[in-house]
Amino acid sequence: MTSTKGKIGRLVTIFGLILVLLLGSVWYLNWFHLSRKVPVAYASVEQQFNYGTIGTEQLDSVPYWIWLILPRLFPEKLPGPGGYVSLKMDWEAGEEVPVGLTKQTIGFPKVSLNCAACHNATFSSLSNGEPKMILTGSAPKFDLQGYINFLRSSANDPRFNSNYLLNKLQDVYELSWLEKRFYRYIIIPQSQQALSQLEDVPDLLKSHPNWTKEAMQQWQSIQFENSQAAQITNPT
């Protein structure tokens, strides 16, 4: 009798340990692929301003690999050729994203807007015409409305689904077997839902179709007459 109870106790202990290990493994995999935060180091204050996070990844982020291929998959939803550059974004050589976007890993790489999206201007010097960047300046060129519309219309396209996106993702990044499961069943469906809900935000856009440009046009007349850093006549 005692021997039987001992065997049952050992079996219960073994099953309990197995259950704990299984639950722990599930928790760890979910944390690693969906919640793990990887810090980013920036070479300068200027680079951090242009590409650093402002903590909005949970609100307005797009999975980086999906964001990267969207212009190739839905070019007709952009205002012109050139991908995101057609939205008047400044894209510096060697950077993974344009100025005003931040790439952060929170479980998986995500792209979201930061302050530089609306506070980073460029002008051309009269001497050589080379574009110069003004940190914290206004950004009358960046078509924020167009960016929102592009993400929203892409998410509402019937092709925005796990099968289609995973097939196209193979051209730019090789996902592991486990990553594919997370993208197929969690990341892509949640992204589609979140981006399509952008349609709920801009009722104002429907009655004011050029709200971004109208709001920023006032800055185009600013003259940097007293600036020693930028002696120009007509900033662009």
Side-chain angles (χ1 to χ4, degrees), residues 42-230:
Y42 298 97
S44 64
V45 173
E46 291 80 7
Q47 188 184 46
Q48 184 171 3
F49 179 81
N50 285 338
Y51 306 104
T53 177
I54 57 174
T56 62
E57 287 79 12
Q58 299 297 338
L59 300 175
D60 65 356
S61 64
V62 186
Y64 172 73
W65 297 114
I66 295 176
W67 174 89
L68 186 65
I69 64 173
L70 282 183
R72 310 179 193 183
L73 305 185
F74 308 110
E76 73 280 1
K77 301 181 187 299
L78 287 165
Y84 291 110
V85 176
S86 68
L87 297 169
K88 308 303 182 182
M89 290 178 162
D90 292 315
W91 204 320
E92 297 182 302
E95 297 293 346
E96 294 182 293
V97 295
V99 173
L101 292 181
T102 175
K103 180 188 175 188
Q104 299 286 318
T105 296
I106 304 179
F108 53 92
K110 300 180 179 183
V111 171
S112 57
L113 294 166
N114 73 356
C115 294
C118 293
H119 296 284
N120 210 327
T122 58
F123 70 91
S124 297
S125 170
L126 291 178
S127 59
N128 55 21
E130 181 180 348
K132 303 291 183 181
M133 194 169 293
I134 306 174
L135 298 182
T136 74
S138 65
K141 296 191 306 177
F142 174 43
D143 186 359
L144 177 58
Q145 179 187 356
Y147 181 70
I148 294 173
N149 288 340
F150 172 67
L151 296 179
R152 185 182 68 247
S153 60
S154 296
N156 284 316
D157 192 292
R159 293 170 292 172
F160 196 108
N161 59 68
S162 295
N163 288 334
Y164 184 66
L165 292 182
L166 283 174
N167 181 56
K168 297 301 181 180
L169 273 175
Q170 295 180 127
D171 297 334
V172 296
Y173 180 68
E174 185 63 35
L175 296 170
S176 69
W177 180 88
L178 191 55
E179 284 178 317
K180 287 180 181 178
R181 306 283 84 75
F182 276 97
Y183 271 81
R184 177 176 295 278
Y185 297 111
I186 299 177
I187 297 173
I188 292 177
Q190 288 185 353
S191 298
Q192 192 281 330
Q193 182 180 16
L195 295 177
S196 65
Q197 285 180 353
L198 289 174
E199 192 169 20
D200 299 331
V201 176
D203 281 340
L204 178 63
L205 301 188
K206 298 174 183 178
S207 58
H208 296 77
N210 295 313
W211 65 274
T212 303
K213 295 179 181 178
E214 290 172 358
M216 300 305 296
Q217 277 175 352
Q218 59 180 309
W219 295 100
Q220 295 183 6
S221 62
I222 293 178
Q223 304 294 320
F224 293 84
E225 295 176 354
N226 298 320
S227 172
Q228 296 179 356

